[in-house]
PDB file of all heavy atoms in Angstrom:
ATOM      1  N   ALA Y 856      96.064 113.272  80.953  1.00 84.00           N
ATOM      2  CA  ALA Y 856      96.660 114.345  80.169  1.00 84.00           C
ATOM      3  C   ALA Y 856      96.223 115.712  80.682  1.00 84.00           C
ATOM      4  O   ALA Y 856      96.997 116.681  80.649  1.00 84.00           O
ATOM      5  CB  ALA Y 856      96.277 114.183  78.690  1.00 84.00           C
ATOM      6  N   GLY Y 857      94.987 115.813  81.171  1.00 83.00           N
ATOM      7  CA  GLY Y 857      94.508 117.091  81.702  1.00 83.00           C
ATOM      8  C   GLY Y 857      95.306 117.541  82.907  1.00 83.00           C
ATOM      9  O   GLY Y 857      95.548 118.737  83.100  1.00 83.00           O
ATOM     10  N   LEU Y 858      95.730 116.588  83.717  1.00 83.00           N
ATOM     11  CA  LEU Y 858      96.538 116.923  84.891  1.00 83.00           C
ATOM     12  C   LEU Y 858      97.903 117.427  84.466  1.00 83.00           C
ATOM     13  O   LEU Y 858      98.428 118.398  85.019  1.00 83.00           O
ATOM     14  CB  LEU Y 858      96.685 115.687  85.777  1.00 83.00           C
ATOM     15  CG  LEU Y 858      97.248 115.917  87.177  1.00 83.00           C
ATOM     16  CD1 LEU Y 858      96.287 116.729  88.017  1.00 83.00           C
ATOM     17  CD2 LEU Y 858      97.529 114.578  87.860  1.00 83.00           C
ATOM     18  N   VAL Y 859      98.476 116.781  83.463  1.00 85.00           N
ATOM     19  CA  VAL Y 859      99.776 117.206  82.957  1.00 85.00           C
ATOM     20  C   VAL Y 859      99.669 118.599  82.343  1.00 85.00           C
ATOM     21  O   VAL Y 859     100.559 119.443  82.496  1.00 85.00           O
ATOM     22  CB  VAL Y 859     100.310 116.196  81.927  1.00 85.00           C
ATOM     23  CG1 VAL Y 859     101.623 116.664  81.328  1.00 85.00           C
ATOM     24  CG2 VAL Y 859     100.481 114.826  82.577  1.00 85.00           C
ATOM     25  N   ALA Y 860      98.547 118.860  81.666  1.00 83.00           N
ATOM     26  CA  ALA Y 860      98.371 120.163  81.022  1.00 83.00           C
ATOM     27  C   ALA Y 860      98.311 121.291  82.046  1.00 83.00           C
ATOM     28  O   ALA Y 860      98.817 122.389  81.809  1.00 83.00           O
ATOM     29  CB  ALA Y 860      97.101 120.155  80.170  1.00 83.00           C
ATOM     30  N   THR Y 861      97.684 121.052  83.205  1.00 79.00           N
ATOM     31  CA  THR Y 861      97.511 122.113  84.201  1.00 79.00           C
ATOM     32  C   THR Y 861      98.660 122.186  85.191  1.00 79.00           C
ATOM     33  O   THR Y 861      98.949 123.255  85.723  1.00 79.00           O
ATOM     34  CB  THR Y 861      96.200 121.918  84.983  1.00 79.00           C
ATOM     35  OG1 THR Y 861      96.188 120.616  85.603  1.00 79.00           O
ATOM     36  CG2 THR Y 861      95.006 122.057  84.059  1.00 79.00           C
ATOM     37  N   HIS Y 862      99.328 121.054  85.476  1.00 80.00           N
ATOM     38  CA  HIS Y 862     100.346 121.047  86.517  1.00 80.00           C
ATOM     39  C   HIS Y 862     101.736 120.657  86.014  1.00 80.00           C
ATOM     40  O   HIS Y 862     102.690 120.653  86.793  1.00 80.00           O
ATOM     41  CB  HIS Y 862      99.937 120.091  87.651  1.00 80.00           C
ATOM     42  CG  HIS Y 862      98.855 120.635  88.527  1.00 80.00           C
ATOM     43  ND1 HIS Y 862      97.548 120.736  88.097  1.00 80.00           N
ATOM     44  CD2 HIS Y 862      98.876 121.128  89.789  1.00 80.00           C
ATOM     45  CE1 HIS Y 862      96.813 121.261  89.068  1.00 80.00           C
ATOM     46  NE2 HIS Y 862      97.591 121.512  90.090  1.00 80.00           N
ATOM     47  N   GLY Y 863     101.861 120.315  84.735  1.00 82.00           N
ATOM     48  CA  GLY Y 863     103.161 119.925  84.219  1.00 82.00           C
ATOM     49  C   GLY Y 863     103.593 118.570  84.746  1.00 82.00           C
ATOM     50  O   GLY Y 863     102.792 117.788  85.234  1.00 82.00           O
ATOM     51  N   GLY Y 864     104.867 118.303  84.633  1.00 84.00           N
ATOM     52  CA  GLY Y 864     105.386 117.032  85.131  1.00 84.00           C
ATOM     53  C   GLY Y 864     105.878 116.149  84.007  1.00 84.00           C
ATOM     54  O   GLY Y 864     105.876 116.524  82.826  1.00 84.00           O
ATOM     55  N   TRP Y 865     106.310 114.969  84.393  1.00 89.00           N
ATOM     56  CA  TRP Y 865     106.863 113.989  83.452  1.00 89.00           C
ATOM     57  C   TRP Y 865     105.975 112.752  83.457  1.00 89.00           C
ATOM     58  O   TRP Y 865     105.458 112.337  84.496  1.00 89.00           O
ATOM     59  CB  TRP Y 865     108.284 113.605  83.844  1.00 89.00           C
ATOM     60  CG  TRP Y 865     109.243 114.746  83.708  1.00 89.00           C
ATOM     61  CD1 TRP Y 865     109.939 115.120  82.600  1.00 89.00           C
ATOM     62  CD2 TRP Y 865     109.625 115.673  84.731  1.00 89.00           C
ATOM     63  NE1 TRP Y 865     110.741 116.219  82.870  1.00 89.00           N
ATOM     64  CE2 TRP Y 865     110.559 116.568  84.167  1.00 89.00           C
ATOM     65  CE3 TRP Y 865     109.257 115.821  86.083  1.00 89.00           C
ATOM     66  CZ2 TRP Y 865     111.130 117.608  84.894  1.00 89.00           C
ATOM     67  CZ3 TRP Y 865     109.818 116.861  86.811  1.00 89.00           C
ATOM     68  CH2 TRP Y 865     110.755 117.737  86.212  1.00 89.00           C
ATOM     69  N   VAL Y 866     105.822 112.132  82.286  1.00 91.00           N
ATOM     70  CA  VAL Y 866     104.922 110.993  82.129  1.00 91.00           C
ATOM     71  C   VAL Y 866     105.718 109.756  81.742  1.00 91.00           C
ATOM     72  O   VAL Y 866     106.559 109.816  80.829  1.00 91.00           O
ATOM     73  CB  VAL Y 866     103.852 111.280  81.048  1.00 91.00           C
ATOM     74  CG1 VAL Y 866     102.933 110.068  80.887  1.00 91.00           C
ATOM     75  CG2 VAL Y 866     103.052 112.527  81.416  1.00 91.00           C
ATOM     76  N   HIS Y 867     105.447 108.661  82.420  1.00 92.00           N
ATOM     77  CA  HIS Y 867     106.009 107.361  82.044  1.00 92.00           C
ATOM     78  C   HIS Y 867     104.836 106.413  81.809  1.00 92.00           C
ATOM     79  O   HIS Y 867     104.176 105.994  82.764  1.00 92.00           O
ATOM     80  CB  HIS Y 867     106.926 106.829  83.148  1.00 92.00           C
ATOM     81  CG  HIS Y 867     108.142 107.665  83.376  1.00 92.00           C
ATOM     82  ND1 HIS Y 867     109.267 107.581  82.590  1.00 92.00           N
ATOM     83  CD2 HIS Y 867     108.388 108.649  84.273  1.00 92.00           C
ATOM     84  CE1 HIS Y 867     110.164 108.451  83.012  1.00 92.00           C
ATOM     85  NE2 HIS Y 867     109.653 109.113  84.033  1.00 92.00           N
ATOM     86  N   ARG Y 868     104.570 106.122  80.561  1.00 92.00           N
ATOM     87  CA  ARG Y 868     103.478 105.206  80.206  1.00 92.00           C
ATOM     88  C   ARG Y 868     104.079 103.817  80.067  1.00 92.00           C
ATOM     89  O   ARG Y 868     104.859 103.538  79.145  1.00 92.00           O
ATOM     90  CB  ARG Y 868     102.845 105.649  78.881  1.00 92.00           C
ATOM     91  CG  ARG Y 868     101.630 104.840  78.450  1.00 92.00           C
ATOM     92  CD  ARG Y 868     100.399 105.243  79.225  1.00 92.00           C
ATOM     93  NE  ARG Y 868      99.186 104.565  78.730  1.00 92.00           N
ATOM     94  CZ  ARG Y 868      97.988 104.755  79.253  1.00 92.00           C
ATOM     95  NH1 ARG Y 868      97.830 105.577  80.272  1.00 92.00           N
ATOM     96  NH2 ARG Y 868      96.942 104.133  78.763  1.00 92.00           N
ATOM     97  N   LEU Y 869     103.722 102.929  80.982  1.00 92.00           N
ATOM     98  CA  LEU Y 869     104.322 101.603  81.012  1.00 92.00           C
ATOM     99  C   LEU Y 869     103.599 100.648  80.073  1.00 92.00           C
ATOM    100  O   LEU Y 869     102.372 100.673  79.968  1.00 92.00           O
ATOM    101  CB  LEU Y 869     104.286 101.024  82.425  1.00 92.00           C
ATOM    102  CG  LEU Y 869     104.980 101.821  83.529  1.00 92.00           C
ATOM    103  CD1 LEU Y 869     104.964 101.019  84.832  1.00 92.00           C
ATOM    104  CD2 LEU Y 869     106.396 102.201  83.153  1.00 92.00           C
ATOM    105  N   SER Y 870     104.361  99.803  79.431  1.00 90.00           N
ATOM    106  CA  SER Y 870     103.805  98.687  78.659  1.00 90.00           C
ATOM    107  C   SER Y 870     104.221  97.396  79.360  1.00 90.00           C
ATOM    108  O   SER Y 870     104.874  97.431  80.409  1.00 90.00           O
ATOM    109  CB  SER Y 870     104.320  98.720  77.220  1.00 90.00           C
ATOM    110  OG  SER Y 870     105.734  98.654  77.199  1.00 90.00           O
ATOM    111  N   VAL Y 871     103.843  96.280  78.790  1.00 91.00           N
ATOM    112  CA  VAL Y 871     104.221  95.002  79.406  1.00 91.00           C
ATOM    113  C   VAL Y 871     105.737  94.828  79.310  1.00 91.00           C
ATOM    114  O   VAL Y 871     106.422  95.550  78.590  1.00 91.00           O
ATOM    115  CB  VAL Y 871     103.492  93.823  78.731  1.00 91.00           C
ATOM    116  CG1 VAL Y 871     101.997  93.946  78.929  1.00 91.00           C
ATOM    117  CG2 VAL Y 871     103.838  93.753  77.240  1.00 91.00           C
ATOM    118  N   PHE Y 872     106.258  93.866  80.062  1.00 92.00           N
ATOM    119  CA  PHE Y 872     107.686  93.579  80.033  1.00 92.00           C
ATOM    120  C   PHE Y 872     108.122  93.115  78.644  1.00 92.00           C
ATOM    121  O   PHE Y 872     107.343  92.530  77.884  1.00 92.00           O
ATOM    122  CB  PHE Y 872     108.027  92.475  81.026  1.00 92.00           C
ATOM    123  CG  PHE Y 872     108.244  92.959  82.442  1.00 92.00           C
ATOM    124  CD1 PHE Y 872     108.311  92.038  83.477  1.00 92.00           C
ATOM    125  CD2 PHE Y 872     108.407  94.293  82.746  1.00 92.00           C
ATOM    126  CE1 PHE Y 872     108.523  92.440  84.777  1.00 92.00           C
ATOM    127  CE2 PHE Y 872     108.628  94.725  84.042  1.00 92.00           C
ATOM    128  CZ  PHE Y 872     108.689  93.793  85.066  1.00 92.00           C
ATOM    129  N   THR Y 873     109.372  93.327  78.355  1.00 91.00           N
ATOM    130  CA  THR Y 873     109.974  92.654  77.209  1.00 91.00           C
ATOM    131  C   THR Y 873     110.207  91.190  77.591  1.00 91.00           C
ATOM    132  O   THR Y 873     110.147  90.818  78.768  1.00 91.00           O
ATOM    133  CB  THR Y 873     111.321  93.290  76.848  1.00 91.00           C
ATOM    134  OG1 THR Y 873     112.229  93.099  77.942  1.00 91.00           O
ATOM    135  CG2 THR Y 873     111.163  94.779  76.564  1.00 91.00           C
ATOM    136  N   ALA Y 874     110.495  90.349  76.600  1.00 91.00           N
ATOM    137  CA  ALA Y 874     110.774  88.938  76.897  1.00 91.00           C
ATOM    138  C   ALA Y 874     111.972  88.808  77.835  1.00 91.00           C
ATOM    139  O   ALA Y 874     111.980  87.965  78.747  1.00 91.00           O
ATOM    140  CB  ALA Y 874     111.024  88.180  75.590  1.00 91.00           C
ATOM    141  N   ALA Y 875     112.977  89.655  77.648  1.00 91.00           N
ATOM    142  CA  ALA Y 875     114.163  89.595  78.508  1.00 91.00           C
ATOM    143  C   ALA Y 875     113.836  89.991  79.938  1.00 91.00           C
ATOM    144  O   ALA Y 875     114.333  89.385  80.903  1.00 91.00           O
ATOM    145  CB  ALA Y 875     115.252  90.505  77.942  1.00 91.00           C
ATOM    146  N   GLU Y 876     112.981  91.012  80.105  1.00 91.00           N
ATOM    147  CA  GLU Y 876     112.598  91.442  81.457  1.00 91.00           C
ATOM    148  C   GLU Y 876     111.765  90.355  82.151  1.00 91.00           C
ATOM    149  O   GLU Y 876     111.936  90.101  83.357  1.00 91.00           O
ATOM    150  CB  GLU Y 876     111.811  92.749  81.383  1.00 91.00           C
ATOM    151  CG  GLU Y 876     112.661  93.958  81.057  1.00 91.00           C
ATOM    152  CD  GLU Y 876     111.825  95.213  80.856  1.00 91.00           C
ATOM    153  OE1 GLU Y 876     110.701  95.119  80.317  1.00 91.00           O
ATOM    154  OE2 GLU Y 876     112.299  96.301  81.240  1.00 91.00           O
ATOM    155  N   SER Y 877     110.872  89.717  81.403  1.00 91.00           N
ATOM    156  CA  SER Y 877     110.071  88.637  81.984  1.00 91.00           C
ATOM    157  C   SER Y 877     110.971  87.492  82.451  1.00 91.00           C
ATOM    158  O   SER Y 877     110.798  86.950  83.558  1.00 91.00           O
ATOM    159  CB  SER Y 877     109.064  88.114  80.956  1.00 91.00           C
ATOM    160  OG  SER Y 877     108.139  89.111  80.601  1.00 91.00           O
ATOM    161  N   TYR Y 878     111.931  87.129  81.612  1.00 92.00           N
ATOM    162  CA  TYR Y 878     112.852  86.037  81.973  1.00 92.00           C
ATOM    163  C   TYR Y 878     113.658  86.425  83.208  1.00 92.00           C
ATOM    164  O   TYR Y 878     113.867  85.601  84.109  1.00 92.00           O
ATOM    165  CB  TYR Y 878     113.779  85.748  80.788  1.00 92.00           C
ATOM    166  CG  TYR Y 878     114.624  84.501  80.941  1.00 92.00           C
ATOM    167  CD1 TYR Y 878     114.117  83.254  80.570  1.00 92.00           C
ATOM    168  CD2 TYR Y 878     115.913  84.558  81.468  1.00 92.00           C
ATOM    169  CE1 TYR Y 878     114.882  82.103  80.718  1.00 92.00           C
ATOM    170  CE2 TYR Y 878     116.681  83.420  81.625  1.00 92.00           C
ATOM    171  CZ  TYR Y 878     116.155  82.187  81.251  1.00 92.00           C
ATOM    172  OH  TYR Y 878     116.920  81.040  81.405  1.00 92.00           O
ATOM    173  N   ALA Y 879     114.107  87.684  83.272  1.00 91.00           N
ATOM    174  CA  ALA Y 879     114.894  88.134  84.425  1.00 91.00           C
ATOM    175  C   ALA Y 879     114.059  88.065  85.706  1.00 91.00           C
ATOM    176  O   ALA Y 879     114.576  87.722  86.779  1.00 91.00           O
ATOM    177  CB  ALA Y 879     115.385  89.564  84.199  1.00 91.00           C
ATOM    178  N   LEU Y 880     112.770  88.383  85.615  1.00 91.00           N
ATOM    179  CA  LEU Y 880     111.919  88.290  86.805  1.00 91.00           C
ATOM    180  C   LEU Y 880     111.790  86.841  87.257  1.00 91.00           C
ATOM    181  O   LEU Y 880     111.846  86.547  88.463  1.00 91.00           O
ATOM    182  CB  LEU Y 880     110.538  88.884  86.505  1.00 91.00           C
ATOM    183  CG  LEU Y 880     109.525  88.799  87.655  1.00 91.00           C
ATOM    184  CD1 LEU Y 880     110.014  89.548  88.880  1.00 91.00           C
ATOM    185  CD2 LEU Y 880     108.158  89.328  87.231  1.00 91.00           C
ATOM    186  N   LEU Y 881     111.596  85.922  86.318  1.00 91.00           N
ATOM    187  CA  LEU Y 881     111.488  84.505  86.690  1.00 91.00           C
ATOM    188  C   LEU Y 881     112.766  84.036  87.376  1.00 91.00           C
ATOM    189  O   LEU Y 881     112.720  83.316  88.382  1.00 91.00           O
ATOM    190  CB  LEU Y 881     111.215  83.654  85.451  1.00 91.00           C
ATOM    191  CG  LEU Y 881     109.853  83.875  84.751  1.00 91.00           C
ATOM    192  CD1 LEU Y 881     109.755  82.988  83.524  1.00 91.00           C
ATOM    193  CD2 LEU Y 881     108.702  83.593  85.700  1.00 91.00           C
ATOM    194  N   VAL Y 882     113.918  84.444  86.866  1.00 90.00           N
ATOM    195  CA  VAL Y 882     115.192  84.072  87.485  1.00 90.00           C
ATOM    196  C   VAL Y 882     115.290  84.666  88.880  1.00 90.00           C
ATOM    197  O   VAL Y 882     115.706  83.991  89.842  1.00 90.00           O
ATOM    198  CB  VAL Y 882     116.371  84.546  86.604  1.00 90.00           C
ATOM    199  CG1 VAL Y 882     117.698  84.372  87.355  1.00 90.00           C
ATOM    200  CG2 VAL Y 882     116.403  83.779  85.293  1.00 90.00           C
ATOM    201  N   SER Y 883     114.904  85.923  89.022  1.00 88.00           N
ATOM    202  CA  SER Y 883     115.020  86.606  90.309  1.00 88.00           C
ATOM    203  C   SER Y 883     114.151  85.955  91.378  1.00 88.00           C
ATOM    204  O   SER Y 883     114.565  85.802  92.528  1.00 88.00           O
ATOM    205  CB  SER Y 883     114.638  88.079  90.148  1.00 88.00           C
ATOM    206  OG  SER Y 883     114.644  88.745  91.385  1.00 88.00           O
ATOM    207  N   VAL Y 884     112.941  85.539  91.005  1.00 88.00           N
ATOM    208  CA  VAL Y 884     112.000  85.002  91.998  1.00 88.00           C
ATOM    209  C   VAL Y 884     112.193  83.498  92.194  1.00 88.00           C
ATOM    210  O   VAL Y 884     112.238  83.012  93.335  1.00 88.00           O
ATOM    211  CB  VAL Y 884     110.544  85.311  91.578  1.00 88.00           C
ATOM    212  CG1 VAL Y 884     109.573  84.719  92.595  1.00 88.00           C
ATOM    213  CG2 VAL Y 884     110.331  86.820  91.468  1.00 88.00           C
ATOM    214  N   LEU Y 885     112.288  82.752  91.093  1.00 88.00           N
ATOM    215  CA  LEU Y 885     112.347  81.293  91.197  1.00 88.00           C
ATOM    216  C   LEU Y 885     113.769  80.773  91.412  1.00 88.00           C
ATOM    217  O   LEU Y 885     113.950  79.618  91.834  1.00 88.00           O
ATOM    218  CB  LEU Y 885     111.774  80.655  89.928  1.00 88.00           C
ATOM    219  CG  LEU Y 885     110.299  80.970  89.633  1.00 88.00           C
ATOM    220  CD1 LEU Y 885     109.889  80.337  88.306  1.00 88.00           C
ATOM    221  CD2 LEU Y 885     109.399  80.478  90.754  1.00 88.00           C
ATOM    222  N   GLY Y 886     114.765  81.599  91.106  1.00 88.00           N
ATOM    223  CA  GLY Y 886     116.147  81.168  91.242  1.00 88.00           C
ATOM    224  C   GLY Y 886     116.717  80.739  89.905  1.00 88.00           C
ATOM    225  O   GLY Y 886     116.037  80.118  89.073  1.00 88.00           O
ATOM    226  N   ALA Y 887     117.990  81.058  89.703  1.00 88.00           N
ATOM    227  CA  ALA Y 887     118.635  80.757  88.427  1.00 88.00           C
ATOM    228  C   ALA Y 887     118.678  79.259  88.155  1.00 88.00           C
ATOM    229  O   ALA Y 887     118.511  78.814  87.002  1.00 88.00           O
ATOM    230  CB  ALA Y 887     120.047  81.340  88.413  1.00 88.00           C
ATOM    231  N   GLU Y 888     118.899  78.452  89.193  1.00 88.00           N
ATOM    232  CA  GLU Y 888     119.035  77.008  88.977  1.00 88.00           C
ATOM    233  C   GLU Y 888     117.776  76.416  88.370  1.00 88.00           C
ATOM    234  O   GLU Y 888     117.832  75.645  87.401  1.00 88.00           O
ATOM    235  CB  GLU Y 888     119.359  76.335  90.311  1.00 88.00           C
ATOM    236  CG  GLU Y 888     119.564  74.817  90.176  1.00 88.00           C
ATOM    237  CD  GLU Y 888     119.913  74.173  91.504  1.00 88.00           C
ATOM    238  OE1 GLU Y 888     120.108  74.912  92.491  1.00 88.00           O
ATOM    239  OE2 GLU Y 888     119.982  72.937  91.552  1.00 88.00           O
ATOM    240  N   ARG Y 889     116.612  76.789  88.895  1.00 89.00           N
ATOM    241  CA  ARG Y 889     115.357  76.208  88.414  1.00 89.00           C
ATOM    242  C   ARG Y 889     115.024  76.703  87.005  1.00 89.00           C
ATOM    243  O   ARG Y 889     114.560  75.925  86.158  1.00 89.00           O
ATOM    244  CB  ARG Y 889     114.221  76.546  89.387  1.00 89.00           C
ATOM    245  CG  ARG Y 889     112.900  75.846  89.072  1.00 89.00           C
ATOM    246  CD  ARG Y 889     111.864  76.127  90.142  1.00 89.00           C
ATOM    247  NE  ARG Y 889     110.621  75.412  89.902  1.00 89.00           N
ATOM    248  CZ  ARG Y 889     109.513  75.550  90.641  1.00 89.00           C
ATOM    249  NH1 ARG Y 889     109.531  76.365  91.686  1.00 89.00           N
ATOM    250  NH2 ARG Y 889     108.424  74.873  90.357  1.00 89.00           N
ATOM    251  N   VAL Y 890     115.227  77.994  86.755  1.00 90.00           N
ATOM    252  CA  VAL Y 890     114.844  78.570  85.467  1.00 90.00           C
ATOM    253  C   VAL Y 890     115.813  78.146  84.362  1.00 90.00           C
ATOM    254  O   VAL Y 890     115.394  77.753  83.264  1.00 90.00           O
ATOM    255  CB  VAL Y 890     114.774  80.106  85.573  1.00 90.00           C
ATOM    256  CG1 VAL Y 890     114.521  80.731  84.195  1.00 90.00           C
ATOM    257  CG2 VAL Y 890     113.669  80.515  86.543  1.00 90.00           C
ATOM    258  N   GLU Y 891     117.088  78.212  84.652  1.00 90.00           N
ATOM    259  CA  GLU Y 891     118.072  77.918  83.611  1.00 90.00           C
ATOM    260  C   GLU Y 891     118.178  76.428  83.297  1.00 90.00           C
ATOM    261  O   GLU Y 891     118.763  76.050  82.276  1.00 90.00           O
ATOM    262  CB  GLU Y 891     119.422  78.500  84.013  1.00 90.00           C
ATOM    263  CG  GLU Y 891     119.391  80.038  84.005  1.00 90.00           C
ATOM    264  CD  GLU Y 891     120.682  80.663  84.459  1.00 90.00           C
ATOM    265  OE1 GLU Y 891     121.630  79.921  84.805  1.00 90.00           O
ATOM    266  OE2 GLU Y 891     120.749  81.913  84.486  1.00 90.00           O
ATOM    267  N   ALA Y 892     117.562  75.602  84.144  1.00 90.00           N
ATOM    268  CA  ALA Y 892     117.489  74.177  83.804  1.00 90.00           C
ATOM    269  C   ALA Y 892     116.485  73.940  82.687  1.00 90.00           C
ATOM    270  O   ALA Y 892     116.581  72.953  81.944  1.00 90.00           O
ATOM    271  CB  ALA Y 892     117.104  73.366  85.046  1.00 90.00           C
ATOM    272  N   GLU Y 893     115.477  74.836  82.558  1.00 91.00           N
ATOM    273  CA  GLU Y 893     114.455  74.705  81.515  1.00 91.00           C
ATOM    274  C   GLU Y 893     114.196  76.082  80.902  1.00 91.00           C
ATOM    275  O   GLU Y 893     113.091  76.626  81.026  1.00 91.00           O
ATOM    276  CB  GLU Y 893     113.156  74.137  82.095  1.00 91.00           C
ATOM    277  CG  GLU Y 893     113.287  72.777  82.753  1.00 91.00           C
ATOM    278  CD  GLU Y 893     111.962  72.312  83.352  1.00 91.00           C
ATOM    279  OE1 GLU Y 893     111.145  71.752  82.593  1.00 91.00           O
ATOM    280  OE2 GLU Y 893     111.739  72.538  84.558  1.00 91.00           O
ATOM    281  N   PRO Y 894     115.160  76.664  80.255  1.00 92.00           N
ATOM    282  CA  PRO Y 894     115.004  78.051  79.771  1.00 92.00           C
ATOM    283  C   PRO Y 894     113.885  78.218  78.753  1.00 92.00           C
ATOM    284  O   PRO Y 894     113.179  79.226  78.763  1.00 92.00           O
ATOM    285  CB  PRO Y 894     116.373  78.373  79.164  1.00 92.00           C
ATOM    286  CG  PRO Y 894     116.987  77.038  78.859  1.00 92.00           C
ATOM    287  CD  PRO Y 894     116.485  76.111  79.906  1.00 92.00           C
TER     288      PRO Y 894
END
Side-chain angles (χ1 to χ4, degrees):
L858 192 67
V859 177
T861 57
H862 285 72
W865 294 273
V866 179
H867 295 279
R868 184 77 174 180
L869 302 186
S870 59
V871 297
F872 275 168
T873 64
E876 287 174 325
S877 296
Y878 190 86
L880 178 61
L881 294 178
V882 170
S883 176
V884 179
L885 299 177
E888 182 179 354
R889 187 175 183 185
V890 174
E891 292 177 359
E893 301 178 84

